[in-house]
Amino acid sequence: MAAGVVGPLPPVAEATLAEALAKSIPWLERVRFLKTGAEAVAAAVRLARVATGRDAVLGCGYHGWLDWCQGATEGVPAAVRGLFAELPFNDVAGGRDLIRARGPQLAAVVVEPVIVAEPTREWLQMLRTETARAGAILIFDEIKTAFRLSIGGAVARYQVQPAPDLVVVGKALANGFPLAAVGGRADLMETASRTWISSTLATEGVALAAAQATLEVFERDHVCDHLHRVGTRLLHGLHELQRAHPRVVTGVGGIAEMCFLHYATEELSRSVASRAAQRGLLFKRTAYNFVSLAHDEGTVDRALAMLHETLGEI
Ligand SMILES: Cc1ncc(COP(=O)(O)O)c(C=O)c1O
């Protein structure tokens, strides 16, 4: 803080953090820091377009609000919309056909590696083989999964080899401070010099320091093992709630580290969320609930008991 928060030159903290990240996540040979996940994924897509000289992109999952991936959103120009299509999660034959059909126009395939369920080995392998065959860049959007499934995210957990060409990380990276990064193969990252990727506050020092400290805690305290342990307890408890309240809860989605309940109706889901909040429990109804280092077995059990009471009232 004494040295200032934003300066005219990139701070030393940026290089120190880049080196520390590359040590823990070796496929991040070079990284570029930005402030939001949406910007970082857009930067990865830009690099892929520069490197391949192609325009078409296939995406799977949520990649932020920017135009390039928002096919169905009002306000996105039709010409931009036409360059993007959805790739179905865990569908090997469907994904292969889409990649092959775009062939020489395809710049990149961008995927969230976990969407409600775990990816199959065959799907991950298909992505790797087919993008290489098409000469397209494989980008893993690990904004949710890095520093959660493992420090190296889904690539590390599912041992994706060879690693994706580019990877995007964010959210847990700086533990709440605004920071995201795109990284990967050095030759691809160097194409940044042929285009324009920039943000005034990207090298803001507090978030870089927070990420450095976060990485140290992740390694020292084996945070991902903790997340898996308490998350598994939460996930099992959610399945028990489904068995106990089948009229209201129709399913459980996600994996240990990020999970949620499916409700019979929208109205019931709203009612559970607001009654749980009145009891002091914030439990998301339309997106993942993420366990953290601050949660232990007791926290999870209290949350499950509050949900059980709430569901019993409905
Ligand atoms: C997988 C994924 N990619 C990209 C984003 C966009 O990140 P941000 O909201 O920081 O722009 C998100 C945000 O939830 C995300 O989960």
Side-chain angles (χ1 to χ4, degrees):
M1 291 293 277
V5 173
V6 181
L9 296 173
V12 173
E14 191 185 48
T16 314
L17 177 60
E19 277 163 22
L21 285 172
K23 223 177 193 182
S24 301
I25 313 177
W27 46 99
L28 297 185
E29 293 172 7
R30 300 270 189 289
V31 292
R32 187 82 184 235
F33 295 105
L34 288 155
K35 277 294 164 213
T36 68
E39 270 186 292
V41 195
V45 168
R46 172 75 67 78
L47 294 174
R49 285 177 165 154
V50 173
T52 59
R54 303 168 177 182
D55 291 340
V57 174
L58 287 167
C60 177
Y62 178 67
H63 306 299
W65 73 278
L66 299 179
D67 282 6
W68 70 269
C69 60
Q70 287 296 315
T73 306
E74 220 178 318
V76 176
V80 174
R81 209 178 287 173
L83 299 175
F84 178 81
E86 299 277 349
L87 182 102
F89 180 69
N90 260 351
D91 177 349
V92 176
R96 186 189 295 124
D97 288 351
L98 277 169
I99 294 173
R100 289 191 180 178
R102 275 160 186 72
Q105 283 82 46
L106 190 62
V109 174
V110 190
V111 298
E112 263 200 89
V114 172
I115 301 181
V116 181
E118 299 204 77
T120 63
R121 197 163 289 282
E122 294 72 29
W123 188 66
L124 293 173
Q125 196 52 56
M126 178 279 292
L127 294 173
R128 196 49 292 186
T129 309
E130 292 298 325
T131 48
R133 190 169 181 267
I137 304 304
L138 179 60
I139 303 170
F140 269 31
D141 178 345
E142 297 241 40
I143 296 270
K144 293 193 201 66
T145 44
F147 306 95
R148 210 177 301 276
L149 273 57
S150 72
I151 291 175
V155 174
R157 173 168 301 178
Y158 305 115
Q159 296 173 358
V160 181
Q161 274 174 344
D165 305 299
L166 294 173
V167 168
V168 186
V169 298
K171 290 202 198 285
L173 167 66
N175 198 29
F177 287 85
L179 193 69
V182 50
R185 270 173 39 199
D187 61 319
L188 281 177
M189 293 302 297
E190 272 154 26
T191 60
S193 63
R194 290 163 49 199
T195 181
W196 180 244
I197 298 169
S198 172
S199 173
T200 305
L201 298 178
T203 55
E204 172 271 309
V206 179
L208 293 170
Q212 184 76 41
T214 301
L215 184 57
E216 284 163 25
V217 173
F218 260 87
E219 285 172 344
R220 188 192 67 210
D221 295 352
H222 306 287
V223 173
C224 293
D225 293 345
H226 174 88
L227 300 183
H228 191 67
R229 201 174 54 250
V230 294
T232 300
R233 193 177 184 95
L234 176 63
L235 192 65
H236 286 167
L238 295 183
H239 281 288
E240 275 169 28
L241 288 176
Q242 184 195 353
R243 284 191 285 278
H245 305 277
R247 194 181 51 81
V248 183
V249 179
T250 55
V252 178
I255 60 175
E257 293 80 0
M258 34 200 254
C259 51
F260 58 91
L261 291 174
H262 290 290
Y263 296 93
T265 65
E266 170 69 15
E267 202 185 326
L268 283 171
S269 89
R270 210 173 293 132
S271 173
V272 175
S274 69
R275 284 166 190 250
Q278 280 160 21
R279 287 192 148 81
L281 174 69
L282 283 178
F283 195 76
K284 280 194 275 179
R285 64 193 180 91
T286 55
Y288 295 114
N289 293 277
F290 298 101
V291 283
S292 79
L293 187 59
H295 299 138
D296 59 15
E297 279 76 3
T299 327
V300 167
D301 292 350
R302 279 199 300 286
L304 289 167
M306 283 158 127
L307 278 173
H308 183 56
E309 282 166 29
T310 306
L311 290 163
E313 249 175 39
I314 293 205

